Amino acid sequence: MNQKEFITNYDFKFKKKFGQNFLTDDNILNNIVKSADVDRDTLVIEIGCGAGALTKKIIEYTDMVIGYEIDETLKPILNTINANIIFDDFLKRDIKEDIKKYNYKKLYVIANLPYYITTPIINKIITDNLNVDKIVVMVQKEVGDRFSAKPNTKEYNSLTVFINYYFNVNKLFVVSKNVFIPKPNVDSIVICLNKKEEKLNVINEELFFKLIRDSFTQKRKTLKNNLKNYNFNIISEVLKENNYNDDVRAESLPLEMFVKISNRLS
Ligand code: SAM
């Protein structure tokens, strides 16, 4: 049974609240999986299997696939696919527990993400400390721009800084809204995040992450205003050494500056 037959035979109702826009273009599905470069030693996590169009492509390359799907009405089609599909909310899962029985060398995430929770999903992948080697995901085009945004642009935010600390970001290709059913309102982009072999030297990661989050609390406010609970004399010193004024905003600071500030505060 393919995606089309399932939708017709089972009278499947698309649920907007779950961000259900299924990809119908076989070439694009192939390109997503090919660009991830999966092999038999790779465990792949797919978030949001839908009717399994992408899942079916992934299992051509590896037997180790865990898919997450929140919508149980997709069981009749997903149960026909030879993959470990977990019908649950990805955001609530203990992923470390789910993956521990697999003997893998590389861990990848490949997905056409449900757009309404892109940021929480990426945050979870990062903060669960899964040590993911590569993430190849389709996201809303504007969100993809944020992943690779440069300081002083409106797209640059705390997520940009987090992602660039862990990963090298590559934009792979833009995908038209016309290749989905139902057709979404926005265009999409496939992004590849490759784990950085050498991360920047952060003395206290907990403090570093908190500093980034706090610095961007109110984007239009200066760093000084957002960081009222910090010792700003120390921060001011670091800013001056790097030719920034005290009235700088977080959106002007590159990742390296957050590292320098947090290391000096540590
Ligand atoms: N992979 C399919 C494809 O490419 O055609 C479907 C992609 S669709 C954009 C996103 C899928 O994520 C939907 O099937 C939706 O039900 C599922 N989903 C939404 N929220 C989820 C969650 N919290 N956990 C797991 N799956 C979720």
Side-chain angles (χ1 to χ4, degrees):
M1 176 168 53
N2 64 30
Q3 180 164 282
K4 229 181 196 161
E5 286 162 355
F6 166 72
I7 291 164
T8 328
N9 297 350
Y10 282 80
D11 191 23
F12 177 71
K13 302 269 182 296
F14 285 94
K15 294 161 200 77
K16 214 173 177 180
K17 65 169 181 177
F18 289 148
Q20 288 179 342
N21 299 96
F22 294 174
L23 192 50
T24 56
D25 187 308
D26 215 48
N27 278 331
I28 295 173
L29 289 160
N30 280 326
N31 286 342
I32 293 174
V33 183
K34 271 193 200 138
S35 57
D37 207 9
V38 174
D39 65 23
R40 296 275 154 205
D41 291 324
T42 314
L43 170 61
V44 176
I45 294 177
E46 187 194 356
I47 302 149
C49 300
L54 192 57
T55 326
K56 279 189 193 159
K57 302 288 180 191
I58 302 169
I59 59 173
E60 289 175 19
Y61 295 84
T62 177
D63 296 330
M64 296 186 282
V65 180
I66 307 180
Y68 294 90
E69 177 49 63
I70 200 168
D71 183 357
E72 297 208 4
T73 68
L74 289 158
K75 265 187 182 167
I77 186 159
L78 288 177
N79 282 343
T80 65
I81 299 176
N82 191 13
N84 172 14
I85 314 260
I86 298 172
F87 288 91
D88 201 355
D89 180 347
F90 174 78
L91 295 176
K92 295 199 179 130
R93 293 294 300 189
D94 181 344
I95 313 293
K96 274 202 170 144
E97 190 60 34
D98 292 339
I99 64 177
K100 77 173 186 210
K101 65 175 183 203
Y102 291 89
N103 189 4
Y104 59 88
K105 292 204 177 120
K106 287 165 284 179
L107 178 60
Y108 291 3
V109 172
I110 304 179
N112 171 15
L113 290 180
Y115 294 171
Y116 73 107
I117 44 170
T118 301
T119 302
I121 287 175
I122 300 288
N123 268 331
K124 178 171 172 65
I125 295 170
I126 290 177
T127 51
D128 277 8
N129 266 320
L130 305 173
N131 202 14
V132 170
D133 296 285
K134 198 188 285 187
I135 303 178
V136 176
V137 280
M138 173 122 65
V139 296
Q140 187 179 327
K141 197 171 165 298
E142 287 68 28
V143 177
D145 290 340
R146 229 177 280 158
F147 288 6
S148 54
K150 299 276 173 273
N152 288 319
T153 60
K154 71 173 186 338
E155 291 81 17
Y156 189 76
N157 66 10
S158 57
L159 183 67
T160 320
V161 185
F162 283 131
I163 287 180
N164 284 276
Y165 172 59
Y166 284 102
F167 299 102
N168 290 312
V169 181
N170 286 309
K171 289 182 183 179
L172 299 185
F173 48 91
V174 173
V175 179
S176 152
K177 51 185 124 179
N178 296 320
V179 297
F180 296 88
I181 42 166
K183 183 170 151 180
N185 296 324
V186 291
D187 282 328
S188 300
I189 188 164
V190 178
I191 297 276
C192 179
L193 309 178
N194 273 298
K195 185 171 82 181
K196 285 189 173 168
E197 284 316 322
E198 286 194 18
K199 280 195 299 186
L200 293 166
N201 182 20
V202 170
I203 297 171
N204 179 344
E205 276 195 345
E206 210 175 304
L207 172 66
F208 173 63
F209 296 144
K210 186 173 174 345
L211 173 76
I212 295 169
R213 270 194 304 272
D214 290 344
S215 299
F216 284 90
T217 322
Q218 298 209 40
K219 229 187 145 194
R220 298 309 301 158
K221 280 195 172 178
T222 62
L223 198 65
K224 195 172 187 176
N225 269 318
N226 279 329
L227 299 181
K228 287 215 166 97
N229 297 327
Y230 289 71
N231 182 337
F232 203 80
N233 289 334
I234 297 180
I235 298 175
S236 180
E237 248 173 51
V238 187
L239 289 173
K240 204 177 284 166
E241 285 163 19
N242 291 277
N243 301 319
Y244 291 98
N245 295 326
D246 276 357
D247 59 2
V248 72
R249 295 192 177 103
E251 64 185 7
S252 300
L253 298 178
L255 165 65
E256 292 73 17
M257 278 306 294
F258 290 102
V259 176
K260 282 182 186 168
I261 295 172
S262 96
N263 281 354
R264 190 72 65 86
L265 290 168
S266 298

